[in-house]
Amino acid sequence: MKPAHLAHLGRSATQSTPIAYRHRHTTGKYGSIIALLMLFTAGSACADLKAESDVQRGRYLIQVSGCNDCHTPGYMETDGKVDEKFWLTGSQLGWRGPWGTTYASNLRLVVQNLTEQQWLSHARGPWRPPMPWFNLRKMRDEDLMAIFRYIRHLGPSGAPAPLYLPPDQMPKMPYAQFPGAVP
């Protein structure tokens, strides 16, 4: 008995079905599965490239936006010659002015607990000086997300920065004094 799909050939599939026909039939059967797997793999590769591209863009934006100046210990004093493994780990240097004393946060710890949407809200402030939150507010979402992905790529490291001190409290650690009356 001939299989139904080969009845039009007039012979048994096991007798003399041309190899090309049998191959085409098999390829058709599995070809769509193979094509789907290839699309999935290509999609994953594209997503990986996009993620890598975002990480590199975030690294660039961190450098040119001056984030390391405050958020990386010793960055300004060494003309930026700080190993990347120490980037964005916060600073013990206080920034004292009429608002009190603020410290550059350890962004590597901060972002570990934020979703992408929370990061966008967090990054756009408002924040106490000297943080230029008003500049971050003008950044496109894509740029802020690239920064977020770069910081997440670095992974958590370091300790939390010291807490904010109100204007009437004197910092015990080193600080930079801004002009203006401090109570």
Side-chain angles (χ1 to χ4, degrees), residues 25-180:
H25 179 70
T26 304
T27 303
K29 190 175 190 180
Y30 299 107
S32 58
I33 294 171
I34 293 169
L36 284 173
L37 288 173
M38 289 174 63
L39 283 173
F40 178 74
T41 303
S44 294
C46 287
D48 290 346
L49 288 174
K50 170 74 171 117
E52 180 61 27
S53 174
D54 280 354
V55 167
Q56 291 308 312
R57 174 117 179 105
R59 183 180 192 279
Y60 167 76
L61 289 168
I62 289 289
Q63 288 181 296
V64 300
S65 298
C67 303
N68 280 319
D69 293 353
C70 296
H71 292 275
T72 299
Y75 196 84
M76 283 194 295
E77 302 91 317
T78 62
D79 300 325
K81 294 179 179 86
V82 173
D83 191 316
E84 195 170 356
K85 67 182 177 186
F86 299 112
W87 285 15
L88 309 174
T89 56
S91 178
Q92 300 291 311
L93 176 65
W95 301 91
R96 185 166 160 78
W99 63 87
T101 305
T102 52
Y103 298 87
S105 62
N106 180 335
L107 294 175
R108 292 175 58 176
L109 297 180
V110 169
V111 301
Q112 298 308 311
N113 299 315
L114 299 178
T115 65
E116 291 181 350
Q117 193 57 49
Q118 289 171 327
W119 163 252
L120 290 174
S121 297
H122 178 85
R124 290 196 165 116
W127 296 95
R128 291 183 184 99
M131 180 62 200
W133 61 270
F134 40 86
N135 292 334
L136 292 179
R137 183 171 276 177
K138 294 176 185 173
M139 281 185 155
R140 297 178 314 175
D141 285 355
E142 296 81 24
D143 290 338
L144 286 173
M145 291 314 304
I147 289 171
F148 175 79
R149 290 179 182 125
Y150 172 70
I151 298 170
R152 292 286 291 258
H153 166 78
L154 288 174
S157 183
L163 298 175
Y164 161 79
L165 294 174
D168 63 336
Q169 292 184 22
M170 190 68 173
K172 293 179 174 70
M173 298 177 213
Y175 63 91
Q177 179 69 51
F178 273 78

